Amino acid sequence: MCGIVGYLGEREVVPLLIDGLRKMEYRGYDSAGVVVVRDHALAAVKAEGKLDRLVERLAQHPLHGLYGLGHTRWATHGAPSERNAHPVLDSRRRLALIHNGIIENFLELKRRLIGEGFTFSSDTDTEVVANLISSYLDGDLHAAVERARRELEGLYAFAVVSAESPEGEIIAVRQGPPLILGRGQEGRNEQFLASDPAALLAYTRDVVFLENGDLARLRRGSIEIWDKGGQPIERPTQRLNWDPIQAEKGGYKHFMLKEIHEQPQALQDTFGGRVDFETGEIHFDTLHLDRPTAAGLSRIHVLACGTSWHAALIGKFMIEELARLPVEVDYGSEYRYRDPIVDSSVLALGVSQSGETADTLSAMEAAKERGARLFAICNVLGSQATRISEGVVYTHAGPEIGVASTKAFTTQLVAFYQFALYLRQMRGMALEPAHLQALAHLPQAVTQALEQEQHLEEMARRHFRAENFLYLGRGINYPIALEGALKLKEISYIHAEGYPAGEMKHGPIALIDEHLPVVAIATGARVFDKVKSNMQEVKARDGKVIALTDRDPADLGVQVDEVIRVPRVHELLQPIVNVVPLQLLAYFIGLRRGADVDQPRNLAKSVTVE
Ligand code: F6R
């Protein structure tokens, strides 16, 4: 979704803004722009499409200055076009503004501002904010923003600069989507602002996460923050532990491929340090869930979207089996529109890579309002999901740049497994040595699954022209069928469906013919024979079966067309190994079809609007 970056200091600002925007490209966008303030004048350059277009424009119309703002826009109000790109200037050209989110009452405000003589040249809700602030601007930008923001409804974040500020300042407001301030290095008179830590890593690791309702003023020598009541407030400076190198492609053709290969390490980083193999116990330093709370739980509500929702479906199997607690899994976008039964014996668990997905956050807030104890599984330190929760299980996946989630998903699964074991321990049931040994073996098993890469590349060559794909799985691997299908849809734009294998005969079997590749996940013991029968049903109708299995193909009991071999691990961890070849298959099919695998069309990395 939209990316916000700002800088105020002693360096040429445009290269810095472009660099910050490039680091946020992975979030998805359809236009971009920058504004520079110099000699009490605003100069903006914008372009529809990718950042390279903006860079070409800037080569034709160079901008110089020491402070300004940059933006990548993912269209919500108004088509993706240069006209609607940010920064947006007010109609009196006194200030420029960049914005993420939605102003819900923009039409009402727009009518009023037109009545006051302001004009509008875009279809955006952003321009309403620019004109509203301008209507109150009387030499003090902070005061004008403070007044204007009281009239805005919705979830948004914005940053604004004015040609009239005597010494240079950026004012930023957070009311929903994330905003992070970066403190310049020692001896440098500079400050940064961004919507994503990735944009700041190359310049500073010392950041301040704004809270909802905060208004910040950045000047060369200072950062000041006011809370939603307008009172000055101190927010702590935190040190980002992400390595900037992790946000580079490191020799891989795409971030997605790099991130698929990072999984053994990411899994190890996620479970390592939390397992005491000697005492046979699990520890979490950031979860803060004590024994009486765990003992008093009646059920768990897991709230998530997209791939994180698939992780939640698998987490349900883990928690129910290991901790013997009933689990409900909801889409964030559905939960708060039903009437869930919640009280203080319910543990609500938000699962989110970014920690900024608006639907998940709203569901988490709804659960909390109804009395649930709120916790999160999250990858991003300091993100909103972590801040509204009592405790967090961090997935130490590092920055995930490819829009399609890979390592974030598998680390969520391992986090779920540990969380389930922890609940088991806290509820007075012993952990078995096999539970922990299974973890120790996991990175090695995923490395082995990755060795199928060439085989999957060849498989992609045989199937990349398919128009449809069906993925079948049962039990704990049904969500892996959903995830395999989602990866293929996102990356290759091929229509794909994930289905519980046993349900196929109740409908989708009508789709089977010699053109439909069917990926059947046939691992484990519990439902293996059942999946064998389902594969036979497909073959009997001339379907093409690709079996993903931990068995010798001779044991499949049916002549399948192709086989993907995976190592066998503990049944609760098998989905982690199984999904890896499906990520690679989607990647290679997408590549063959010429799709932009790191930034698929219409998708955004973190969806900060509802
Ligand atoms: C799919 C994908 C999305 C996200 C979803 C939730 O590959 O990445 O479906 O999983 O938008 O995002 P987070 O986990 O950041 O809340």
Side-chain angles (χ1 to χ4, degrees):
M1 296 248 135
C2 300
I4 286 179
V5 62
Y7 174 80
L8 176 78
E10 296 169 347
R11 312 191 219 184
E12 263 304 322
V13 68
V14 171
L16 224 137
L17 296 177
I18 296 293
D19 182 56
L21 294 178
R22 282 217 189 279
K23 300 281 166 39
M24 293 187 287
E25 271 196 293
Y26 73 98
R27 300 173 74 91
Y29 67 102
D30 39 50
S31 61
V34 292
V35 65
V36 171
V37 194
R38 191 179 184 188
D39 299 334
H40 299 290
L42 299 166
V45 172
K46 305 191 268 188
E48 186 186 335
K50 294 289 178 193
L51 269 181
D52 288 342
R53 293 272 297 276
L54 177 66
V55 172
E56 280 165 26
R57 287 276 167 87
L58 282 163
Q60 290 152 9
H61 309 281
L63 297 182
H64 296 283
L66 305 179
Y67 90 97
L69 303 172
H71 191 261
T72 42
R73 173 174 186 258
W74 190 83
T76 55
H77 286 65
S81 63
E82 186 175 331
R83 204 168 76 86
N84 289 330
H86 305 193
V88 166
L89 272 64
D90 71 306
S91 67
R92 295 170 185 170
R93 300 188 67 82
R94 304 166 75 200
L95 57 89
L97 186 132
I98 56 178
H99 155 233
N100 181 8
I102 292 175
I103 307 297
E104 286 171 9
N105 58 337
F106 87 105
L107 266 181
E108 186 186 316
L109 291 169
K110 188 169 180 174
R111 278 190 215 110
R112 192 183 93 200
L113 288 160
I114 290 172
E116 290 173 20
F118 286 91
T119 57
F120 288 82
S121 54
S122 76
D123 311 314
T124 62
D125 48 352
T126 309
E127 200 174 7
V128 171
V129 188
N131 278 332
L132 185 65
I133 297 172
S134 176
S135 75
Y136 295 132
L137 185 57
D138 183 15
D140 183 348
L141 185 60
H142 166 218
V145 173
E146 181 61 65
R147 199 164 159 199
R149 68 148 161 165
R150 310 244 155 250
E151 295 177 46
L152 302 176
E153 287 168 20
L155 291 177
Y156 56 82
F158 66 78
V160 56
V161 288
S162 163
E164 295 166 19
S165 300
E167 286 169 30
E169 62 187 342
I170 299 174
I171 306 280
V173 175
R174 175 186 188 184
Q175 183 57 50
L179 267 188
I180 301 143
L181 312 181
R183 294 192 183 273
Q185 284 160 10
E186 200 68 38
R188 282 196 190 261
N189 229 355
E190 61 184 5
Q191 314 292 353
F192 300 83
L193 164 82
S195 52
D196 184 327
L200 302 179
L201 283 174
Y203 306 99
T204 178
R205 307 267 202 97
D206 294 324
V207 299
V208 177
F209 291 93
L210 291 185
E211 296 284 347
N212 270 342
D214 281 356
L215 184 156
R217 173 160 62 193
L218 282 69
R219 289 172 165 163
R220 283 189 174 77
S222 67
I223 288 180
E224 295 157 282
I225 303 173
W226 291 265
D227 67 11
K228 61 174 176 284
Q231 294 304 311
I233 189 153
E234 291 286 325
R235 299 280 180 219
T237 300
Q238 299 187 35
R239 184 138 254 258
L240 287 173
N241 55 6
W242 283 1
D243 179 352
I245 302 299
Q246 282 185 300
E248 307 291 339
K249 279 191 204 151
Y252 287 92
K253 194 164 178 190
H254 293 99
F255 281 111
M256 183 180 176
L257 188 60
K258 172 177 175 257
E259 288 159 6
I260 290 173
H261 279 274
E262 280 172 348
Q263 290 178 109
Q265 186 61 49
L267 290 165
Q268 170 105 52
D269 292 346
T270 301
F271 72 72
R274 291 172 174 165
V275 187
D276 189 329
F277 287 98
E278 275 178 28
T279 60
E281 288 191 340
I282 302 271
H283 308 275
F284 286 109
D285 48 359
T286 52
L287 183 59
H288 314 305
L289 176 63
D290 56 23
R291 227 170 257 278
T293 307
L297 295 175
S298 66
R299 48 198 192 286
I300 297 190
H301 286 183
V302 192
L303 310 166
C305 299
T307 287
S308 297
W309 183 76
H310 295 158
L313 293 177
I314 294 171
K316 173 181 164 74
F317 280 84
M318 295 171 170
I319 295 170
E320 290 189 342
E321 182 163 327
L322 294 172
R324 307 306 295 157
L325 260 172
V327 179
E328 285 176 39
V329 178
D330 267 86
Y331 285 116
S333 52
E334 294 289 333
Y335 186 75
R336 69 183 186 133
Y337 298 108
R338 66 179 179 89
D339 194 5
I341 300 165
V342 183
D343 58 34
S344 60
S345 70
V346 170
L347 185 153
L349 182 65
V351 184
S352 175
Q353 184 286 126
S354 60
E356 301 294 351
T357 299
D359 287 323
T360 303
L361 290 174
S362 306
M364 290 170 75
E365 297 276 15
K368 194 172 171 179
E369 274 162 28
R370 286 167 178 253
R373 306 287 303 269
L374 184 61
F375 291 82
I377 292 182
C378 188
N379 193 39
V380 181
L381 181 85
S383 60
Q384 187 64 3
T386 68
R387 273 171 311 139
I388 59 176
S389 301
E390 282 179 50
V392 183
V393 178
Y394 282 101
T395 50
H396 295 291
E400 189 179 66
I401 309 291
V403 164
S405 189
T406 53
K407 62 175 180 170
F409 176 65
T410 47
T411 54
Q412 283 169 349
L413 295 182
V414 86
F416 256 118
Y417 181 74
Q418 285 194 305
F419 179 67
L421 287 176
Y422 183 76
L423 282 177
R424 179 185 175 90
Q425 182 181 293
M426 286 297 180
R427 289 167 65 79
M429 288 173 273
L431 301 195
E432 289 160 23
H435 289 139
L436 301 182
Q437 280 152 13
L439 275 175
H441 177 55
L442 189 62
Q444 170 63 22
V446 170
T447 306
Q448 251 175 286
L450 285 166
E451 286 162 9
Q452 299 274 317
E453 179 164 340
Q454 204 185 337
H455 174 53
L456 290 157
E457 192 171 359
E458 284 157 18
M459 195 176 279
R461 186 165 46 77
R462 291 191 285 280
H463 295 290
F464 78 98
R465 290 199 181 87
E467 285 174 10
N468 300 287
F469 256 79
L470 185 60
Y471 289 73
L472 299 177
R474 289 186 89 126
I476 196 167
N477 283 301
Y478 159 53
I480 293 299
L482 293 176
E483 177 61 9
L486 179 65
K487 286 291 89 94
L488 190 71
K489 279 186 265 209
E490 288 180 299
I491 299 304
S492 71
Y493 316 141
I494 293 176
H495 168 245
E497 277 200 55
Y499 230 78
E503 274 293 298
M504 184 184 61
K505 56 188 173 297
H506 299 290
I509 200 160
L511 297 171
I512 307 284
D513 65 14
E514 69 277 22
H515 304 296
L516 181 74
V518 178
V519 179
I521 303 165
T523 55
R526 236 176 272 199
V527 287
F528 179 74
D529 287 337
K530 303 280 172 210
V531 178
K532 256 165 75 172
S533 313
N534 301 134
M535 291 194 291
Q536 270 152 359
E537 288 157 13
V538 176
K539 282 311 296 171
R541 285 155 186 87
D542 292 333
K544 279 190 210 153
V545 174
I546 301 170
L548 187 152
T549 186
D550 54 355
R551 308 284 178 107
D552 190 310
D555 296 340
L556 293 177
V558 53
Q559 193 62 40
V560 298
D561 298 81
E562 295 177 65
V563 174
I564 302 170
R565 294 288 295 274
V566 286
R568 182 175 306 169
V569 294
H570 188 293
E571 205 146 1
L572 290 175
L573 296 176
Q574 192 69 45
I576 299 179
V577 176
N578 291 354
V579 78
V580 171
L582 302 185
Q583 296 167 341
L584 284 167
L585 183 63
Y587 171 77
F588 285 118
I589 291 181
L591 204 62
R592 284 237 158 221
R593 289 172 73 102
D596 185 348
V597 289
D598 275 342
Q599 291 167 44
R601 68 185 181 207
N602 304 336
L603 293 181
K605 183 67 185 164
S606 60
V607 184
T608 50
V609 292
E610 287 191 16

